[in-house]
Amino acid sequence: MDVADLGLPVDVPSTALFTDHYELTMLQAALKAGTADRRSVFEVFTRRLPEGRRYGVVAGTGRVLDAVENFRFDADVLGFLRERNVVNEETLEWLAAYRFSGDVWGYPEGEVYFPGSPIMRVEGSFAECVLLETVILSILNHDSAIAAAASRMASAAGDRPLIEMGARRTHELAAVAASRAAYVGGFATTSDLAAGFRYGIPTVGTSAHAFTLLHDNERDAFQAQVDSLGRNTTLLVDTYDVTEAVRTAVEVAGPELGAVRIDSGDLLLVAHRVRQQLDELGAVNTKIVVTSDLDEYAIASLAAAPVDAYGVGTQLVTGSGHPTCSMVYKLVARAESADPKAPLVPVAKKSSGGKTSIGGRKWAARRVDGDGVAEAEVIGTGAVPAELADRQLLVELVKGGEVVAREPLDVVRDRHAVARGNLPLSATQLSRGEAVIPTEYVHLRSGS
């Protein structure tokens, strides 16, 4: 698979209304004040990781690039804004010609991040950048939360594959994005056909309890599935009695039976019993797939069980208790005038309650030890220290309004595996703790 994110096989509607009302009123006021064209720098970052998380995962970047490209105010959208009197006619005229013409830099998708990491940097006029705040945060907050949960689950699963099967537990469009993010985080397949169609993610699926209940008995159901899908199929064995179902499954499919799925009960105990029974029946190569409200902790608890694959739904698509990353989009530098040559001035909000931010256009680099293991996230303004020059994290994503960094999803998935592997071993611990490496700030000079 190498087609994901290289062009969607489905039409994407305008994303221009994936924004908040006040972004348009700010635009109108800035146009009237003559400040709309001031060169500006916005950064996406989070002040802290979700409680207990040791690292974050950047996901959704490819979707952000699609959203920026499709941020267009067509006639229907403009008509809606006019009808609701959201902005005046002068602003509507400006919006009709809107095309993002600035630059976007960011952490490569699949990379890990930490508190303060400038995950994405958007540069251009204030007017064109401020409109993108909500859609960028909506995508990155959702997808990064799912990818972080998926990454933890993948760490807990080890070499055993994970199946994403949470479509029925979330919004139908969020389900597609969640499947994509899960794949970035380390899942192998999805049950969601829309995700397979849109992003090229491998899809899997066989049958549910309803199929067994449809038939007069379990044997008839198994026989119908094997006749249709072949002996290598996966039979669901917990509708009635697991022991009897396993025996029937092997009688119907023979020792060539591909797998059995267990969706209820004490999974640790049942998995051991099923493995022993399969082996005694000669089905030594038949695999065991477990489902049933799994999260990273349940997966870790099954590490010693004879389980071959896990199916995860609810806990994955809800971020395993953390459905957002609390990322923010803040203006960190702006020019003193609309003159393209005007220097940037660092700006930052001053606030109590932990909502302060650091001004200035930032770079980021990851310092590693002699073995290549990450030991600090270093963030600064101005010149990058020579020893960190080849460890910089931000890459160019959009240049002059043109996307320059689309990637196949498999590349992103592989990048995450490498990035996670370069973290200290404690990153994969499921016990609560702080970020696995500290964030260090280097203020060499203000602005840029």
Side-chain angles (χ1 to χ4, degrees):
M1 183 193 69
D2 60 0
V3 298
D5 289 345
L6 298 180
L8 301 180
V10 292
D11 292 333
V12 177
S14 167
T15 54
L17 291 183
F18 293 163
T19 190
D20 285 306
H21 188 120
Y22 79 166
E23 287 166 359
L24 297 188
T25 56
M26 283 191 288
L27 167 65
Q28 177 175 305
L31 289 170
K32 182 176 179 60
T35 53
D37 289 333
R38 288 188 175 185
R39 188 162 60 104
S40 300
V41 180
F42 287 82
E43 288 178 351
V44 176
F45 63 94
T46 185
R47 296 183 176 95
R48 63 190 66 84
L49 296 176
E51 183 180 358
R53 297 289 168 89
R54 305 295 183 96
Y55 61 93
V57 181
V58 178
T61 306
R63 297 207 308 121
V64 167
L65 299 180
D66 292 333
V68 171
E69 277 194 334
N70 289 282
F71 205 89
R72 304 283 188 268
F73 292 84
D74 57 27
D76 290 341
V77 171
L78 292 170
F80 166 78
L81 297 175
R82 181 178 290 109
E83 177 187 342
R84 298 297 180 91
N85 197 31
V86 175
V87 290
N88 60 25
E89 283 299 322
E90 291 79 10
T91 306
L92 289 173
E93 289 181 14
W94 189 94
L95 291 173
Y98 179 87
R99 299 289 186 275
F100 181 72
S101 63
D103 302 327
V104 179
W105 291 72
Y107 280 36
E109 188 166 16
E111 183 57 84
V112 296
Y113 71 87
F114 300 92
S117 296
I119 296 163
M120 185 168 287
R121 189 174 72 218
V122 182
E123 304 183 32
S125 71
F126 175 83
E128 62 181 343
C129 294
V130 73
L131 296 181
L132 300 176
E133 173 182 4
T134 301
V135 69
I136 288 177
L137 288 180
S138 175
I139 293 171
L140 293 181
N141 267 312
H142 174 269
D143 290 23
S144 296
I146 305 304
S151 179
R152 285 162 59 86
M153 293 174 188
S155 292
D159 295 331
R160 298 171 179 177
L162 292 157
I163 307 163
E164 185 279 312
M165 46 196 305
R168 64 192 63 191
R169 297 292 188 254
T170 187
H171 185 280
E172 65 272 18
L173 298 181
V176 181
S179 179
R180 182 186 184 280
Y183 192 72
V184 170
F187 274 59
T189 54
T190 180
S191 66
D192 191 338
L193 289 175
F197 174 67
R198 189 160 183 172
Y199 296 117
I201 301 168
T203 60
V204 295
T206 51
S207 69
H209 295 100
F211 185 76
T212 301
L213 296 171
L214 169 68
H215 292 79
D216 294 338
N217 56 63
E218 202 165 41
R219 179 179 294 274
D220 288 349
F222 289 172
Q223 189 66 61
Q225 184 173 326
V226 170
D227 288 345
S228 175
L229 301 177
R231 297 177 184 274
N232 196 43
T233 190
T234 299
L235 296 177
L236 180 59
V237 295
D238 73 329
T239 305
Y240 304 117
D241 177 83
V242 173
T243 300
E244 183 61 30
V246 171
R247 182 182 299 109
T248 302
V250 176
E251 288 175 358
V252 169
E256 298 85 8
L257 174 62
V260 295
R261 178 162 75 94
I262 307 166
D263 188 53
S264 59
D266 184 335
L267 297 179
L268 179 62
L269 176 62
V270 175
H272 277 287
R273 288 177 174 174
V274 168
R275 181 72 270 160
Q276 180 178 354
Q277 185 181 9
L278 287 170
D279 291 346
E280 290 172 350
L281 293 171
V284 295
N285 294 318
T286 298
K287 298 183 183 302
I288 297 175
V289 180
V290 296
T291 52
S292 185
D293 291 327
L294 299 177
D295 61 10
E296 60 266 48
Y297 300 100
I299 292 169
S301 73
L302 292 168
V307 171
D308 298 286
Y310 306 93
V312 189
T314 302
Q315 292 301 319
L316 174 67
V317 299
T318 56
S320 195
H322 298 289
T324 183
C325 303
S326 299
M327 293 178 186
V328 294
Y329 182 96
K330 296 297 182 183
L331 180 66
V332 296
R334 52 87 176 167
E336 295 178 320
S337 70
D339 183 345
K341 297 181 180 180
L344 289 174
V345 178
V347 295
K349 174 183 177 181
K350 293 182 179 180
S351 174
S352 59
K355 282 198 169 185
T356 57
S357 56
I358 299 173
R361 182 178 184 271
K362 300 175 194 68
W363 51 261
R366 189 161 299 143
R367 192 171 67 239
V368 299
D369 63 18
D371 296 319
V373 177
E375 60 181 16
E377 192 88 338
V378 186
I379 299 167
T381 59
V384 181
E387 65 272 17
L388 295 175
D390 62 348
R391 301 296 306 174
Q392 295 187 71
L393 291 163
L394 280 85
V395 299
E396 195 167 31
L397 302 172
V398 178
K399 182 176 183 179
E402 298 294 326
V403 174
V404 296
R406 275 203 173 86
E407 300 176 298
L409 202 53
D410 279 335
V411 171
V412 175
R413 187 172 184 266
D414 291 344
R415 176 182 294 122
H416 175 64
V418 172
R420 186 179 64 205
N422 288 336
L423 294 177
L425 288 176
S426 57
T428 59
Q429 291 179 348
L430 296 181
S431 57
R432 296 189 179 278
E434 300 300 320
V436 71
I437 61 173
T439 301
E440 299 177 359
Y441 292 95
V442 179
H443 295 290
L444 299 178
R445 63 183 177 87
S446 298
S448 61

